[in-house]
Amino acid sequence: MNLKVSGIVLRVRPSGDNDRLCTILTDTHGVINAYARGARSMKNKNSTATAQFVYGNFELYRRREYYIIDESQYEDLFTGLRDDIIRLSVAQYLCQLAMELIPDEQPAGEYLKLMRAALYYLSENTRPALLVKAAAEMRIMSMSGYMPDLVMCAECGAYEHDVMYFIPRTGQIKCGDCGVGEDGFCLKLGRGAMTAMRHSIYASQKKLFAFSINEQSLRQFSKASEAFVIAKLEKSLTTLEFLRTML
Ligand SMILES: [Zn+2]
């Protein structure tokens, strides 16, 4: 019997003469690999819905360790991503991060909602690309078990300060009075960036991307969130490094 899933195509690789091997974030089975036979031909029934970033519905069946896509219908193509290299690069990066962190063969409905919203805002260009990037990467990290502790200064318990330091290695913050001492690499956050960091992990998913922030604070926020990703994964990602060359 066919398996019916909703999902986002995170990555597409060519396979054989005319096939595609798609990595799909699904609602019920996490991240899976699925072949779309003949889908590189424009006339193929699955060619549209098996392109990268597409959100759609897929009917699959299992063949050893892979799935085969039998039927597919797209819901969102997110074509606006192709209008701007930065927004496209953020989308590529979030897809790679999702592949890195989201488990396979497990329900992943919340991850799917998050990724769909991120791709929507990037495609529609209704939120700054860096805001979507930083909020999504903090949220994906938190959902994957890497929850930073941003409530108060780890030393004195201060909630607010003009300057806070974020320590990527531990995911803690320290206030400007306490300083970081032996904690090593840290990033300075002003009030705007600190508020955004907290929002990105404590706000409801519905409100995740619904905040405004000035340019300087956004850069601090984005630098801190990507430093957290690199510290916890103990490596960078090729798509993140590419994005960084353009910022
Ligand atoms: Zn303190």
Side-chain angles (χ1 to χ4, degrees), residues 152-159 161 163-164 173-179:
M152 58 180 109
C153 170
E155 201 82 31
C156 72
Y159 179 75
H161 199 283
V163 173
M164 286 281 197
I173 50 171
K174 293 208 177 165
C175 74
D177 290 337
C178 295

Side-chain angles (χ1 to χ4, degrees), residues 63-95:
R63 182 62 50 86
R64 291 184 219 99
E65 68 267 40
Y66 290 101
Y67 290 92
I68 311 287
I69 298 172
D70 195 9
E71 298 283 340
S72 59
Q73 297 90 33
Y74 67 87
E75 281 193 34
D76 291 318
L77 297 175
F78 302 119
T79 49
L81 291 172
R82 267 89 184 175
D83 297 342
D84 178 78
I85 184 73
I86 302 273
R87 288 188 275 127
L88 179 67
S89 302
V90 171
Q92 296 277 13
Y93 165 50
L94 293 179
C95 286

